Amino acid sequence: KKEEMKMKVISLLSMKGGTAKTTTAVNLAAGLANNGLKTLLIDADAQGNATAYFSKEKDYLTSLVDNSELPYREAMQSTIASNKEYAFDTYEVLMEPSCIKEAIYPTKVEQLYIMPSQNHKLILADKNITLDTKKPQQTRFKKALRELRHEFDYVVIDNAPTSNTVTINSLIASDLIIIPVKPGGDEIEGLASTIEDVETIKDNFDVEVDFKILLTMFHKKTDGTFNRKTENQEYDVLHQIFEKQMLNSVIRYQDGIVTKSSIEKQIVINTSTKVSDDYKALVNELIGGEDKE
């Protein structure tokens, strides 16, 4: 029998787009589930990209084409209505935390469940949470997740690349924040902005949450170094500045398989690829264990 453990909440956060944040959230959640750990993936991004990996419905573009003969406004409304796959989602939980168990759905991966984001409803969440003065505004996820503390081992939250009330709710509920960083000078600036936001939230709301930095999309060689001189330099600098915050795992650049997985809704960690090995190494680093057969 598995030893009972405290549910751990991990947030993926980056104020810079294109850092493999959602890909990492989905594959981390799937990897934890593959290790026999009951895991909930929360899609807290209005774009709903994490949800799309598990959607049974046609994608948004296909649905829009189906409605293309209608006037523009009607076509958009019909498309949104036809793509509403889940009765409850992240938006409803933020509005009413007590409904969280109704917003959790099984996925095609055993032991992995999802709280979906759909139809861009989360865009309204920031405004509506602010207007709702009857309940605390920043601790709704934390309150909701208390209901699951004996049911799940891990919760992984995919956050939008923006600092708003939804993101604040995620970070306050989290035990660990993972900040994915890809190569490039602008990415370092994005990292600084993300860390500043995290520290501000910690100070303003008196929360204890650790953050770790995950290098993604690096051109990694078999010996652990990188193909590009600038990437080796960035690796060294980041390790000097953030020695204790750096994760040992590095997710390599493998554009073909990642792009294909996004289009075909295929989870990378369940493929036989080098980038799959990287994600498995990340899971093992976080749970402190070895691959389970």
Side-chain angles (χ1 to χ4, degrees):
K1 184 179 179 179
K2 183 178 64 179
E3 185 179 344
E4 188 173 347
M5 59 181 284
K6 175 182 178 292
M7 184 179 79
K8 187 165 186 178
V9 183
I10 302 175
S11 268
L12 274 292
L13 179 68
S14 174
M15 295 304 161
K16 193 79 176 175
T19 60
K21 174 184 63 64
T22 296
T23 302
T24 299
V26 170
N27 284 281
L28 171 58
L32 291 167
N34 288 344
N35 276 269
L37 298 164
K38 190 175 180 182
T39 303
L40 172 63
L41 173 63
I42 296 179
D43 193 344
D45 189 339
Q47 296 180 81
N49 291 332
T51 303
Y53 276 84
F54 306 97
S55 176
K56 300 181 183 68
E57 299 293 333
K58 292 180 290 187
D59 62 48
Y60 188 86
L61 186 61
T62 302
S63 300
L64 188 57
V65 170
D66 290 345
N67 293 312
S68 60
E69 294 182 3
L70 296 172
Y72 171 73
R73 186 176 294 276
E74 290 182 30
M76 296 296 287
Q77 291 173 341
S78 296
T79 297
I80 290 171
S82 65
N83 274 47
K84 186 175 171 107
E85 181 177 344
Y86 302 98
F88 291 86
D89 56 25
T90 305
Y91 174 81
E92 272 83 21
V93 174
L94 284 165
M95 294 300 103
E96 182 46 69
S98 64
C99 79
I100 186 168
K101 291 186 179 181
E102 297 173 86
I104 295 173
Y105 301 85
T107 72
K108 57 192 174 186
V109 179
E110 188 176 355
Q111 292 283 71
L112 178 59
Y113 296 76
I114 190 168
M115 182 192 298
S117 169
Q118 56 184 349
N119 307 329
H120 291 77
K121 282 196 298 184
L122 270 179
I123 293 174
L124 302 172
D126 189 54
K127 180 182 75 172
N128 290 346
I129 289 172
T130 305
L131 291 173
D132 182 6
T133 57
K134 294 182 180 179
K135 296 189 289 289
Q137 297 178 356
Q138 295 87 11
T139 56
R140 298 186 180 196
F141 269 155
K142 188 171 185 177
K143 180 180 180 181
L145 290 174
R146 285 198 198 108
E147 300 295 318
L148 307 179
R149 62 187 181 276
H150 299 304
E151 296 187 30
F152 285 88
D153 299 309
Y154 278 88
V155 176
V156 177
I157 308 177
D158 182 34
N159 292 285
T162 184
S163 183
N164 57 22
T165 309
V166 179
T167 306
I168 291 171
N169 266 274
S170 294
L171 301 192
I172 288 176
S174 298
D175 301 298
L176 174 66
I177 299 165
I178 295 179
I179 306 172
V181 179
K182 70 177 185 179
D186 290 344
E187 310 307 322
I188 305 302
E189 292 181 14
L191 171 62
S193 174
T194 304
I195 292 174
E196 185 177 354
D197 281 354
V198 170
E199 294 298 337
T200 299
I201 290 168
K202 288 172 65 175
D203 291 342
N204 289 344
F205 299 100
D206 193 27
V207 292
E208 290 293 328
V209 58
D210 193 15
F211 75 86
K212 296 288 185 182
I213 297 168
L214 173 68
L215 301 182
T216 62
M217 302 172 70
F218 272 64
H219 295 76
K220 190 167 70 170
K221 296 191 288 188
T222 54
D223 64 359
T225 60
F226 309 105
N227 290 332
R228 299 178 179 179
K229 182 180 178 181
T230 54
E231 291 184 6
N232 283 292
Q233 291 172 335
E234 287 176 28
Y235 179 90
D236 291 338
V237 168
L238 287 170
H239 274 77
Q240 287 175 24
I241 299 173
F242 301 106
E243 180 183 3
K244 294 181 179 179
Q245 279 77 40
M246 298 299 298
L247 286 164
N248 294 323
S249 305
V250 176
I251 309 300
R252 77 189 71 208
Y253 180 84
Q254 204 167 351
D255 186 56
I257 182 63
V258 173
T259 301
K260 182 180 179 183
S261 74
S262 179
I263 293 172
E264 298 182 358
K265 300 177 182 177
Q266 183 181 37
I267 298 172
V268 175
I269 202 169
N270 292 335
T271 64
S272 298
T273 59
K274 290 181 178 179
V275 73
S276 167
D277 294 338
D278 293 341
Y279 278 120
K280 288 175 182 175
L282 172 63
V283 172
N284 290 332
E285 181 176 357
L286 290 173
I287 65 177
E290 299 181 353
D291 281 338
K292 296 185 178 182
E293 298 296 332

